[in-house]
Amino acid sequence: MTESPHPHSNPDCRAVSELLSRVGDKWTVLIVKALETQSRRFNELKREVGGISQQMLTRTLRMLERDGMVTRTVHPTVPPQVDYALTDLGRSLAVPVMALTEWTFANLPEIHANRAAYDGAMEDAA
């Protein structure tokens, strides 16, 4: 079997690359983290995920719903209330997301120190 000259030209690699880009997106990670323990309404999510625009939150929730990671439940009230919750698939994504979040918090001081040292060395070399 001949190998493709470009690794991302393989359909399986493209699919994995596309999905990793989506689930590894910062907004997806923060939304999954926010929904990890309980369902939330749209405005609750917007407050929980600081800095996200309404448009980006809507877009990300739709993508997560399309991929089967989030359910959207509309309650017949006036005005309608909409809750978002993780599905079983979404909860399975929450496991590595939470591990990555914990790793980030544990290592952030060291990463900041490394960046400062690198930037200082680059300034000295210039």
Side-chain angles (χ1 to χ4, degrees), residues 22-94:
R22 291 163 120 197
V23 299
D25 171 81
K26 76 175 181 177
W27 299 125
T28 298
V29 168
L30 293 172
I31 290 168
V32 168
K33 182 181 178 305
L35 292 173
E36 194 241 347
T37 57
Q38 66 186 39
S39 65
R40 296 187 188 269
R41 293 193 184 133
F42 186 89
N43 285 329
E44 287 179 289
L45 277 171
K46 192 164 181 326
R47 281 190 301 273
E48 183 80 18
V49 180
I52 192 168
S53 69
Q54 184 168 331
Q55 180 182 13
M56 183 55 71
L57 180 56
T58 299
R59 184 181 307 156
T60 305
L61 285 167
R62 283 183 183 158
M63 181 269 305
L64 289 168
E65 185 179 9
R66 181 176 181 242
D67 287 345
M69 295 184 206
V70 166
T71 59
R72 179 180 184 269
T73 304
V74 180
H75 301 282
T77 59
V78 178
Q81 294 179 352
V82 180
D83 288 327
Y84 295 91
L86 292 178
T87 63
D88 288 342
L89 182 61
R91 281 188 290 281
S92 72
L93 175 61

Side-chain angles (χ1 to χ4, degrees), residues 12-30:
D12 290 337
C13 288
R14 282 195 308 268
V16 168
S17 178
E18 175 197 0
L19 192 56
L20 285 175
S21 292
R22 291 163 120 197
V23 299
D25 171 81
K26 76 175 181 177
W27 299 125
T28 298
V29 168
L30 293 172

